[in-house]
Amino acid sequence: MSEIEIGRGKRGRRAYTFDDIAVVPSRRTRDPEDVSISWQIDAYHFELPVVAAPMDSVVSPDTAIALGRLGGLGVLDLEGLWTRYEDPESALAEIAELTPDQTTARMRELYSAPVRPELIASRLRQIREAGVTVAGALSPQRTQQFWKTVVDAGVDLFVIRGTTVSAEHVSGRAEPLNLKRFIYELDVPVIVGGAATYTAALHLMRTGAAGVLVGFGGGSAHRTRTTLGIHAPAASAIADVAAARRDYLDESGGRYVHVIADGGASVSGEIVKAVACGADAVMLGTALARASEAPGGGFHWGSEAHHPELPRGERVDVGTVGTMEEILTGPAVGADGTTNMMGALRRAMATTGYTDLKEFQRVEVVVSHYGPR
């Protein structure tokens, strides 16, 4: 793979964002009604390849249930306001009313309340009683502390999500989470990430994870590139991790690990490109924070926005464009790609002649250099 000379002492590989690429039509087209966008991870089948990001502005127990009934998967942040407060509605309303200069300090105060194991159990129980697939997320730092509470509560899918999660975390202060041992001993499938390179993803796959999150998450609310100088252009990252999945499939004798794009896809065309680059599903934050039911009330933020030492995100105003159902399955209210996102994915697959997501991962892609379209 060719590298570009940045200067005499440094070379770098060219990587591509979703804006840099485009999907190319083929010789065949199909009716959108003939296209399936369903997917399955472990024993759990979903009609929509959509996983709601575990962020307080996106997922509450109620929105997780609503998304589950629409055919997707909602992942509750088990370190968020829902597990710190008996009634977090007042805290959510206050965050929506804060001025920009107040946001970081006040959110730090609100999130300083301790996570309560009994609230983890009750929130997950609420989702389970609604009859939808139950998923909850912990950071790698909190997994050791709360995993048993989560499993005992009856979670179906366990998500370990951080800005960057590696299979080889080194710490001189405390014993790090041994992902391979942890996943092996757990009785539920684990989705872990983010990862952004072939090597990092391959190591995560070797831990026994059922799925790998690709990217740094956060999307429009993330400022990791500004604060840390770290960035992984989404199209290249997904393609690299998809290559790791292919090689691990051979290495393991047929074990398939799902690739879930996390971050960078906030309109329907970006979801299309994520699948075209190799994703089995997409984790959506900003897109679902725009729903009228979203707990953020038109605002969006992640855990990075209230980090006690170095915030790497912020609360952003994303507005409201429609109900969750309108955002995912329509009808669309405009041509900006923020509503009927699954209808757009289905039509893109039909226009290029593919009938399911796995087939569509083989679609031709070109580098366009024309920016957003």
Side-chain angles (χ1 to χ4, degrees), residues 31-76:
D31 289 332
E33 294 76 15
D34 295 336
V35 171
S36 170
I37 56 173
S38 65
W39 73 299
Q40 182 164 328
I41 182 167
D42 203 83
Y44 303 99
H45 179 87
F46 302 96
E47 291 300 321
L48 307 179
V50 172
V51 182
M55 305 166 85
D56 279 341
S57 55
V58 179
V59 181
S60 66
D62 286 341
T63 57
I65 292 167
L67 179 56
R69 289 172 175 166
L70 287 170
L73 175 67
V75 183
L76 187 67

Side-chain angles (χ1 to χ4, degrees), residues 214-230:
V214 184
F216 293 119
S220 63
H222 217 287
R223 298 293 176 265
T224 300
R225 186 173 188 173
T226 303
T227 57
L228 300 183
I230 297 174

Side-chain angles (χ1 to χ4, degrees), residues 51 53-55 161-162 193-194 212-219 234 238 260-265 281-285:
V51 182
M55 305 166 85
R161 183 178 186 258
V212 172
L213 300 172
V214 184
F216 293 119
I238 295 167
I260 302 171
D262 182 9
V282 290
M283 178 170 273
L284 299 180

Side-chain angles (χ1 to χ4, degrees), residues 71-156:
L73 175 67
V75 183
L76 187 67
D77 180 6
L78 301 179
E79 300 171 41
L81 297 174
W82 295 94
T83 59
R84 296 174 191 261
Y85 297 95
E86 194 77 47
D87 181 9
E89 296 289 354
S90 60
L92 289 164
E94 182 180 352
I95 290 172
E97 295 294 329
L98 293 172
T99 60
D101 60 314
Q102 298 173 322
T103 304
T104 299
R106 181 55 181 147
M107 287 178 70
R108 280 174 168 167
E109 292 174 351
L110 290 169
Y111 281 90
S112 66
V115 174
R116 295 162 54 183
E118 70 275 14
L119 288 179
I120 291 178
S122 66
R123 304 306 187 198
L124 293 176
R125 187 183 313 115
Q126 180 183 346
I127 300 171
R128 173 166 292 286
E129 289 173 351
V132 300
T133 304
V134 184
L138 290 172
S139 66
Q141 296 81 6
R142 297 286 191 116
T143 297
Q144 295 275 38
Q145 183 179 0
F146 293 116
W147 72 267
K148 193 172 187 308
T149 300
V150 176
V151 173
D152 289 347
V155 74
D156 295 315

Side-chain angles (χ1 to χ4, degrees), residues 190-253:
V190 175
I191 298 171
V192 62
T197 67
Y198 171 95
T199 301
L202 187 60
H203 285 192
L204 288 178
M205 291 172 186
R206 288 169 176 163
T207 66
V212 172
L213 300 172
V214 184
F216 293 119
S220 63
H222 217 287
R223 298 293 176 265
T224 300
R225 186 173 188 173
T226 303
T227 57
L228 300 183
I230 297 174
H231 175 60
S236 292
I238 295 167
D240 285 345
V241 175
R245 174 186 61 201
R246 177 199 62 211
D247 292 347
Y248 179 70
L249 188 69
D250 292 337
E251 174 190 306
S252 63

Side-chain angles (χ1 to χ4, degrees), residues 143-177:
T143 297
Q144 295 275 38
Q145 183 179 0
F146 293 116
W147 72 267
K148 193 172 187 308
T149 300
V150 176
V151 173
D152 289 347
V155 74
D156 295 315
L157 292 164
F158 194 119
V159 179
I160 301 175
R161 183 178 186 258
T163 302
T164 303
V165 177
S166 76
E168 299 180 11
H169 179 67
V170 178
S171 173
R173 296 185 302 168
E175 182 181 357
L177 174 67

